Amino acid sequence: MPRKLVIVESPAKAKKIGGYLGSDYVVDASVGHIRDLPTPSEMPTDMKKGPYGKFAVDVDNGFDAYYVVDPDKRKKVAELKRLLKDSDELLLATDEDREGEAIAWHLLEVLKPKVPVRRMVFHEITKEAIVRAAQDTRELDTDLVDAQETRRILDRLYGYEVSPVLWRKIRQGLSAGRVQSVATRLVVQRERERMAFRSASYWDVEGDFAPQEAGQSFAARLSSVDGVRVATGRDFADSGELRASNVVHLNQSRATSIANAVAAATATVSSVQEKPYTRRPSAPFTTSTLQQEASRKLRLSSKNAMRVAQRLYENGYITYMRTDSTTLSESAMTAARAQASDMYGAEYITDTPRRYEKKAKGAQEAHEAIRPAGDRFRTPAQVAGELRGEDFSLYELIWKRTVASQMTDARGSTATVRLSVPVASSGVAEQVEFSASGTVITFRGFLAAYEEGRDAGDATDASEQERRLPQLTEGALLDVERAEADGHETSPPARYTEASLVKAMEERGIGRPSTYAATVGTIQDRGYVRTKGTALVPTWLAFAVTRLLEEHFPSLVDYDFTASMEEGLDLIASGDRGRVEWLNKFYFGATGQTVEGLREMVEHLGEIDAREISTIDLGDGMVVRVGRYGPYVEQVVPVGVDPATGEVTGEAPDPDAKPRRATIGDDVAPDEMSPEKARELLATADDDGRVLGKDPESGHEIIARAGRYGPYVTEVLPEEPEADKPAKGKKKAAKAKPRTASLFKEMDLATIELDAALKLLSLPRVVGTVTEGEGDEATQVEITAQNGRYGPYLKKGTDSRSLVTEQQLFDITLEEAVAIYAEPKRRGRAATPPLKELGEDPVSGKPVVVKDGRFGPYVTDGESNATLRKDDDPESITPERGFELLAEKRAKGPTTRKRTVKKTAKKSTAKKSAAKKTTAKKTAAKSS
């Protein structure tokens, strides 16, 4: 019986599609890419010295790439080959984007099928879409493959040429990347703006006014004094200086005088203006806008939003989630309009469908926007029994946005009223004017279904907020119920959040839908950016790396140049540009172009002052340096020297004195590091600690200090007498070390007392002795309670058992310790209750729980363990996410550790022949 093999990327996708296709089809997953460019250490010996040795790419011969099958994918490849032997047709059903097309090509190259091959593509996983896709296939798109391969080679050249410069000049192990370095620069540049920012203060007056005849009171704010507009925050530069010359800058005294005069006066309505208000719905979601809105409304990181969206797509709930198109298909617009009409009424939909055309750089209009799957959408109520937690929330968000996009505008009216108040009694002005605006929504339109969120720091137009003003006419008199002077401080530019950084990248044309989440995750994983709430804060390491790239590789972190590279990849994907020509220009440069090629940049770097590159000047003789072990502040101008002139203003400094330095903790953001803060850290570092008292037994002073690895207590040993020092030439006796102990988690450095410190220093504590062995072989063995790197534990000889709490170190009895040793030894720490129970796993049928392990939280069903990712919160993780992690772990199979085998004889490694692409327009690629 004829059988067709369908290959997709993920097991979840394979399971869903397999259920839609009949018994004539076998559906299996490649589990992502099966091969890639190897690292130099993974190259065969005979290849390391050849043209592929440095990059796994022959840059001198058409940028030919050498690929190897990933070690953990060899078993999967063998399984796919076995399935292919029993099939008479192969359908490559990976995603219809560059990455998916490349996975399909690699499968074709490795499997070398002898049966007909077809490319099966779809944008949603519904029965109708899958059956239609299996019948309506196409050839492999080699232009898309070229674009993906070009991007992969480009990133390899960039990383392998630039990263070593960072290793030599800043720190080992650092990485540079075409998109990640530019994203890091965006975050660093914003922090520089915050560091340079100087706050300005300004005042105005707010009052409550009520019509004398009748009507509700309302608030209004001072807008002008004697016909001149009152300065607001937007009138000040980041330097704190007033930019506008045609405004009045009120101070506290003048504002208070005006407020007092207004409170004793009567206001008159000087003008009333009313105009129509209209607000259009937002376009359906693209990858970028989905990540932004999921961050604002659901507090999901970019990575988590894409993970949940991937799950919804693979299970048939939404269309493909990596797209930069806002287009909806005809059937989707019909479905959205029908649901809007059914749920809200016919008056809530437009006469004709709304069509959205994306105008962003590189928009791929062939793809559809992200929307609910199918020709008729399932409402959130209809999927509530199937989806939970993040999955349901994101589906509901996508459904609302899609339906709202086909609904009518919100309509209403906006009124602006101006009030005139005489203030001659204030002595500072004759007449002032207050203003107030209010919007009344008369028809909610799309707002009945959905309203877009806003980023923190975004200015909100007063007309966007619904607020009703009383009916007023010009000349009407109003009583002043309240008038108060109100002081303000200008705010620095808001830090990027994940949502606003993705938005900034999209606006500049940096990256593409498939890279946004990965880029934001990478700059955090590499230690360039950390989070503070939802804000992205650059580390000092990011400052050093960005400065080096700006000064020595300026084009590589130039926003426009990076965007032009993305445009070049788009041209290759559309078949309008050749990949070899484009890579040649990037790497070798081109005659007459202003930007030199990457190789020339690296070869002509010149001298780089590593110390200077890693130094950030704070002013006042203070600098931050990025050292091998982290950032620290240093006083480069000694006390007694004027940092501006270099003149000695006090006692002459000691030329042999070491510079004062202090470590900078993660709790201090770069914009908080002022010269004053630097001096504070230096003073703390100079502090020898807080003396708690003397140990009654030894007489040594006990001190509590803040150390690099946390607070601790220690004893001060007396200096060795001169007479006890060994004679010259004799071996020096080992110097006594002071007792030291870290504070427990619940202890506070500022409040710890001598008794608690002495208890800590008494560790390890002998709990008691037990008899080991019998008869003549019986021995007495001590059981001790100790505090170690991984927490509190008991030790008996070489046998250790973990304790649950630090307090047990002092409280545990010998009987309790013996009972612990009587239990079978468990791997890892003492058994603790699970952090969360997730229910039964759909595959194993066993209960899944979240536990806290030695290397962090993980999920387990008793058979398989899967570590939680960085963005997974143990307390809020959903059952679906837990099951997904276990499914991924099972799909990968058991972890095999490499063993070093001693070679008895040198083996010659034969170079494997290049695998040729079977489709036209593609050059040869190396493979193994």
Side-chain angles (χ1 to χ4, degrees), residues 371-383:
R371 62 167 176 84
D375 294 335
R376 181 169 177 80
F377 304 157
R378 285 176 285 180
T379 65
Q382 289 172 325
V383 300

Side-chain angles (χ1 to χ4, degrees), residues 662-890:
T663 300
I664 302 174
D666 289 342
D667 58 325
V668 182
D671 72 332
E672 298 169 2
M673 182 52 68
S674 60
E676 294 73 23
K677 183 67 177 179
R679 278 188 279 272
E680 181 186 320
L681 292 177
L682 290 171
T684 303
D686 291 341
D687 185 6
D688 287 335
R690 184 166 64 92
V691 178
L692 304 180
K694 290 190 176 182
D695 183 348
E697 294 184 9
S698 66
H700 298 160
E701 270 192 348
I702 306 300
I703 292 178
R705 288 177 176 158
R708 182 176 178 184
Y709 301 106
Y712 67 98
V713 291
T714 186
E715 63 180 337
V716 180
L717 299 180
E719 291 188 8
E720 185 181 358
E722 197 70 29
D724 294 343
K725 291 184 178 179
K728 190 175 181 180
K730 288 193 176 182
K731 190 175 180 180
K732 190 175 181 180
K735 189 176 181 180
K737 292 183 178 180
R739 292 175 297 159
T740 300
S742 296
L743 269 61
F744 286 175
K745 292 177 183 177
E746 70 273 8
M747 292 179 174
D748 183 10
L749 181 65
T751 58
I752 189 171
E753 296 180 350
L754 180 63
D755 290 345
L758 292 174
K759 286 183 74 175
L760 290 173
L761 293 173
S762 70
L763 296 174
R765 176 176 73 92
V766 177
V767 179
T769 57
V770 293
T771 302
E772 293 281 299
E774 296 180 357
D776 295 338
E777 296 181 359
T779 57
Q780 295 292 307
V781 181
E782 284 186 343
I783 297 179
T784 58
Q786 306 188 27
N787 205 10
R789 179 179 178 185
Y790 300 110
Y793 66 98
L794 293 173
K795 188 168 185 181
K796 181 179 70 172
T798 58
D799 191 359
S800 300
R801 303 294 174 94
S802 296
L803 295 173
V804 177
T805 67
E806 291 173 318
Q807 190 57 38
Q808 284 181 288
L809 291 169
F810 300 128
D811 298 344
I812 194 167
T813 64
L814 180 60
E815 291 74 18
E816 291 169 336
V818 170
I820 290 174
Y821 275 101
E823 296 175 1
K825 187 168 184 177
R826 302 181 181 90
R827 285 187 64 187
R829 296 187 291 181
T832 55
L835 302 177
K836 190 173 184 179
E837 296 179 358
L838 302 179
E840 287 189 1
D841 184 81
V843 177
S844 67
K846 297 189 175 182
V848 177
V849 296
V850 183
K851 289 190 171 184
D852 189 16
R854 177 176 175 181
F855 301 106
Y858 65 98
V859 289
T860 179
D861 64 351
E863 294 180 351
S864 302
N865 298 340
T867 304
L868 267 60
R869 306 292 191 268
K870 183 178 179 181
D871 292 324
D872 293 322
D873 181 9
E875 294 181 3
S876 61
I877 187 172
T878 61
E880 291 80 9
R881 175 58 175 161
F883 304 153
E884 179 186 20
L885 289 171
L886 289 174
E888 289 176 0
K889 181 68 175 178
R890 294 189 195 101

Side-chain angles (χ1 to χ4, degrees), residues 105 213 293 685:
W105 177 73
E213 295 178 359
E293 198 71 341

Side-chain angles (χ1 to χ4, degrees), residues 273-295:
Q273 293 180 339
E274 192 167 331
K275 58 183 179 180
Y277 168 82
T278 303
R279 185 173 168 193
R280 292 172 58 86
S282 300
F285 280 130
T286 62
T287 301
S288 166
T289 54
L290 177 65
Q291 291 175 19
Q292 293 170 45
E293 198 71 341
S295 174

